[in-house]
Amino acid sequence: MSTLLAGRRVVVSAGPTFEDIDPVRFIGNRSSGRMGFAVAAAAAAAGAEVVLVAGPVHLETPAGVERVDIRSAAQLRDAVLAALPADVYVGAAAVADWTPRDTAGHKLKKQPGVERMTLELVRTPDVLAAVAAHRLRPRLVVGFAAETEDLVANARAKLAAKRVDLVAANRVGVPGSGFEAETNALTVVGEGFERALGPAPKAALADTLIELIAERIAGRS
Ligand code: CTP
C-alpha cells in the first residue's frame, strides 16, 4: 500500500468488448483483461478511488475497486463517461473497432443452398478519444496500443491522433507479451518521454505504470 494516488479518482477500462450479431453470436477478441485489472488493483493499492469498467471476463474484482460490467463498445463508452470527472483515465480495454450494423433479435438460421453471407459492420465510438476531448477531461489520459511492428512509431501516432498524454504499447504476437500472457513488456511514450518497462508479471508492470502516472499528475497539479 502507498499513498501515491491518495485523493485521486482513477477510471480504468479492461477486457474485450463483445459485439452481438444475434442472441447467441458475437464478435470478440482475445483480451484477457488481466493488464487492466492489474492497473486497477495497483491504483487502489496506491490509495486512489478506482472505477473499473470491465468487459466480459471472469476475473475477480480487485480489493477496494468499484466495478461496472459492460459488454459492448457503446456500453463501455457510456459507463466510462458516466464515471467522469476523474483525475486519470487508463484505457486498457481492447475495444472492438467494428460492430454489426444490425443485431438480430432472433438466432440467424442457415438457409439450404445459401453458401455465403455478408455481415455489415459499422465503426464503434472511440472511447479513448472521446475521454480526451471531453469537457471533463481527466488531467491524465493513458491509452494502450497493441502492435506487432513499429511499436514506438505507432504508439507516437496514437498519442497525437487521440490527444492523450501517455500510450503504453504492447508488443503482441511474441511469447511473454500481450493478450493471453501472464507477463508483459510495455514501452510507454509521452511528449518528450519514452520508457521501456518489463518484461515482468502484469502486477509488477501495473505498479510501475501507476508510479509513472502518479509522477506525471503530481507534475501537473
Ligand atoms: N480504444 C477505445 N475505443 C475504441 C478503440 C480503441 O477507447 N473504439 C482505445 C483502447 O482502449 C486503447 C487504444 O484506444 O487504449 C487503442 O487504440 P487503437 O487505435 O484501437 O489501437 P489498435 O486497434 O491497436 O489500432 P489500429 O487498429 O490502428 O492498429
Side-chain angles (χ1 to χ4, degrees):
M1 292 296 279
S2 77
T3 54
L4 274 178
L5 288 179
R8 307 290 192 182
R9 182 172 163 91
V10 176
V11 179
V12 181
S13 68
T17 65
F18 286 177
E19 309 300 322
D20 288 334
I21 297 169
D22 70 14
V24 297
R25 305 183 181 93
F26 59 86
I27 300 172
N29 65 67
R30 286 160 59 168
S31 169
S32 69
R34 284 198 209 106
M35 193 63 227
F37 273 61
V39 170
E49 176 188 323
V50 182
V51 178
L52 172 60
V53 178
V57 294
H58 297 282
L59 292 175
E60 216 177 293
T61 308
V65 166
E66 177 191 337
R67 175 176 182 165
V68 181
D69 286 310
I70 56 87
R71 182 170 172 88
S72 66
Q75 290 169 355
L76 187 135
R77 188 238 354 245
D78 292 349
V80 167
L81 296 185
L84 300 181
D87 298 287
V88 181
Y89 174 65
V90 182
V95 186
D97 292 321
W98 301 95
T99 194
R101 196 191 70 175
D102 303 303
T103 299
H106 55 90
K107 187 180 168 203
L108 298 171
K109 303 295 283 180
K110 294 184 288 297
Q111 302 297 337
V114 178
E115 295 299 327
R116 33 166 102 182
M117 78 97 94
T118 303
L119 191 59
E120 192 178 344
L121 304 177
V122 294
R123 285 293 298 270
T124 55
D126 189 316
V127 183
L128 187 63
V131 170
H134 202 273
R135 73 186 163 82
L136 297 175
R137 186 193 199 279
R139 206 168 305 165
L140 207 73
V141 179
V142 183
F144 271 73
E147 307 290 352
T148 54
E149 58 220 359
D150 299 330
L151 196 70
V152 170
N154 281 323
R156 289 217 169 274
K158 229 154 258 184
L159 197 68
K162 303 200 187 193
R163 299 176 186 276
V164 301
D165 303 293
L166 293 174
V167 170
N170 255 321
R171 194 178 293 283
V172 290
V174 295
S177 181
F179 278 176
E180 286 163 336
E182 288 293 341
T183 58
N184 202 1
L186 295 175
T187 302
V188 184
V189 300
E191 206 187 312
F193 176 87
E194 181 177 327
R195 176 133 15 125
L197 310 181
K202 287 181 176 174
L205 268 187
D207 284 335
T208 312
L209 190 62
I210 286 300
E211 280 166 27
L212 236 161
I213 285 172
E215 270 167 35
R216 308 216 34 118
I217 33 181
R220 284 164 177 242
S221 341

